[in-house]
Structures are given as structure tokens and as C-alpha cells.
Amino acid sequence: MTCNFPEWDGNLKTTLDAGELLLDESKYEVIITVRNSLQKSKVLDQKPKILNFLRKRLENSLVQLSIRLENTTENLRPYTPKDKFEFMAKKNPALRELKETLNLEVDF
């Protein structure tokens, strides 16, 4: 879904652009599917603003908004230093040994 909301927060716009948009016409419900709990939280925080926009744009005060979390476990990218280390150590167990030998910390 591509949105043109210049007055909206950039992270919210990115989240909405990346999400999947479904419409359940029988319930007048717009369903936004997001990829992670952080995105879900961001959309929930702005739900009244989004809902107001949709109701005006669709000219329907009965429109409801639901946010669903995508169930995916494929190709998850590590973000924190610890996650990155664990990801690399699974591919190369010698990294764990090197970390212990040199007494290194992965959280910085």
C-alpha cells in the first residue's frame, strides 16, 4: 500500500507502505498487516488518526481498522549485536570459541 500522507511521521509511512492492506467489505473493515510488533505498536498509536483519514477518504463513518501481525519466520535479519553474533556463530561455531578465548563481549 502506498500512502501519501506528508504530515505523517516517516516511520509510520514506511510501515504502512511495507504492510499489506486488505478490505473486508462485509464488515466495513480495513485490515493492515505488519511485519513485527514494533510496527504494530506504531500503527496502534496512530490508529485514531489513520481511522479518521480512512473514514473521510472513503466517506463512510462505519469503517473500522484492524492491525494484524504477519506470521513469518523466514529470512529474519538480526538487528542487535548479540543477534548478529548468534546468527554468525550458527554458521561458524569457531566464532564462539574465539569469543571465549579472547574474552570478548558482543553487547556494546
Side-chain angles (χ1 to χ4, degrees), residues 41-77:
S41 173
K42 187 68 171 170
V43 174
L44 282 172
D45 288 346
Q46 297 297 319
K47 185 176 178 177
K49 189 175 189 177
I50 298 167
L51 197 50
N52 186 40
F53 174 83
L54 290 171
R55 286 177 175 167
K56 284 181 182 178
R57 190 73 139 194
L58 299 173
E59 297 178 0
N60 186 339
S61 63
L62 300 175
V63 171
Q64 294 299 313
L65 179 65
S66 295
I67 298 98
R68 292 193 184 151
L69 191 57
E70 183 179 283
N71 293 330
T72 182
T73 56
E74 61 188 51
N75 200 16
L76 294 176
R77 291 181 48 184

Side-chain angles (χ1 to χ4, degrees), residues 75-104:
N75 200 16
L76 294 176
R77 291 181 48 184
Y79 289 102
T80 67
K82 185 176 182 178
D83 291 343
K84 289 176 185 178
F85 175 79
E86 292 300 327
F87 180 78
M88 291 187 300
K90 283 181 186 175
K91 290 185 174 186
N92 186 355
L95 284 175
R96 264 186 229 290
E97 186 178 325
L98 181 63
K99 174 187 167 279
E100 291 171 11
T101 302
L102 299 175
N103 197 26
L104 299 173

